[in-house]
Amino acid sequence: MVAKELAEDEDNKTDRYLVVSILEALSNISIPEDWEVAKAVVVFLRSALETVDEESPFTVVTLKLAINVTNHESAASEFNHLTILTKLSTSISEAFGQAQRDVEHGNPLDHGYDQLLLLLGILINILEHCSLARESVDSASLKQLSAIWAKNVSSLHDADSVGKSKLSVAFGYLAIAVGYFYIITSNRLEMKHYDNWPGTLQLISTIHDFIGIYRTTNAKVDELEMLVQDLRLLRSTENFVS
């Protein structure tokens, strides 16, 4: 397939960017049923994640393409690779760090913040539509993302500036990813032993609050509400056992 061959040809940057741009435009209309396209996008995404901090046009359009393609169960399963999940986690962690530094110094959150939301969206789509991916994450990535949320959860309601408000939204998205990880027993047992872990109720509360905000801009919250229900069931089971 031409797309997959170009995806693997890292020296042909012009044609790769052209193909990714065309696929991204098409994915805004409908997701191709040819899952070979998804396999090609996996290769494109892996390449883009290696240069995500460079903010290149190829990286941006690839992230947009990936977020569209992963919003489907069959396609999302193609992205269930440890290398993809690990690099996504690392990129998200680094992007959060940069965003927080920008807010602290009074700098506007622009391109880097937009990429952070795209990265979070891709990860959430993969976890939402491919349950096996929730178990595929490595311990380091799990701790990395969980720690970012846990460390900042207490400040989510202290958004007294535009920058902090934007960060609060990003932390809401992160809570969703953490929630999907948390419903896996092995992950949950590990996360409960983290220092300063806020607990199941706080995780539920954060996601529930985010749903309230998200519903005003996007009515498709069924999957998120199901996640909250799963977490509430887990908490009731925990209370029963204890």
Side-chain angles (χ1 to χ4, degrees), residues 67 92 96 113 116-124 127 149 156 166-180 206-207 210 214 217-218 224 227:
I67 202 169
I92 288 170
F96 262 117
Y113 175 78
L116 170 59
L117 295 188
L118 287 172
L119 291 165
L120 286 165
I122 294 167
L123 179 60
I124 290 170
L127 298 176
W149 172 74
L156 293 182
K166 286 186 173 182
L167 265 182
S168 181
V169 171
F171 284 127
Y173 279 112
L174 179 59
I176 294 169
V178 173
Y180 278 119
T206 303
I207 298 174
F210 180 81
Y214 190 68
T217 59
N218 192 322
L224 299 183
L227 173 60

Side-chain angles (χ1 to χ4, degrees), residues 87-190:
K87 188 58 182 175
L88 272 173
S89 300
T90 301
S91 298
I92 288 170
S93 176
E94 292 173 350
F96 262 117
Q98 183 59 55
Q100 287 178 298
R101 287 191 293 273
D102 285 339
V103 170
E104 289 172 2
H105 291 92
N107 299 326
L109 294 178
D110 42 34
H111 185 82
Y113 175 78
D114 293 339
Q115 283 202 170
L116 170 59
L117 295 188
L118 287 172
L119 291 165
L120 286 165
I122 294 167
L123 179 60
I124 290 170
N125 278 353
I126 295 172
L127 298 176
E128 179 182 304
H129 297 292
C130 179
S131 58
L132 290 176
R134 305 167 193 172
E135 305 176 50
S136 300
V137 66
D138 63 292
S139 293
S141 296
L142 182 67
K143 187 171 185 177
Q144 187 177 47
L145 295 179
S146 300
I148 295 172
W149 172 74
K151 183 179 179 181
N152 293 278
V153 67
S154 61
S155 63
L156 293 182
H157 298 291
D158 299 331
D160 55 1
S161 68
V162 173
K164 288 183 179 180
S165 294
K166 286 186 173 182
L167 265 182
S168 181
V169 171
F171 284 127
Y173 279 112
L174 179 59
I176 294 169
V178 173
Y180 278 119
F181 288 134
Y182 194 72
I183 59 179
I184 300 301
T185 302
S186 57
N187 292 341
R188 186 166 63 256
L189 292 175
E190 183 174 341

Side-chain angles (χ1 to χ4, degrees), residues 19-32 37 41 60-71 118 125 220:
V19 169
V20 169
S21 298
I22 293 172
L23 289 175
E24 193 273 331
L26 291 173
S27 71
N28 286 318
I29 302 172
S30 64
I31 302 300
V37 172
V41 177
V60 174
V61 74
T62 300
L63 294 181
K64 290 180 178 179
L65 170 61
I67 202 169
N68 288 342
V69 172
T70 53
N71 196 26
L118 287 172
N125 278 353
K220 297 180 180 179

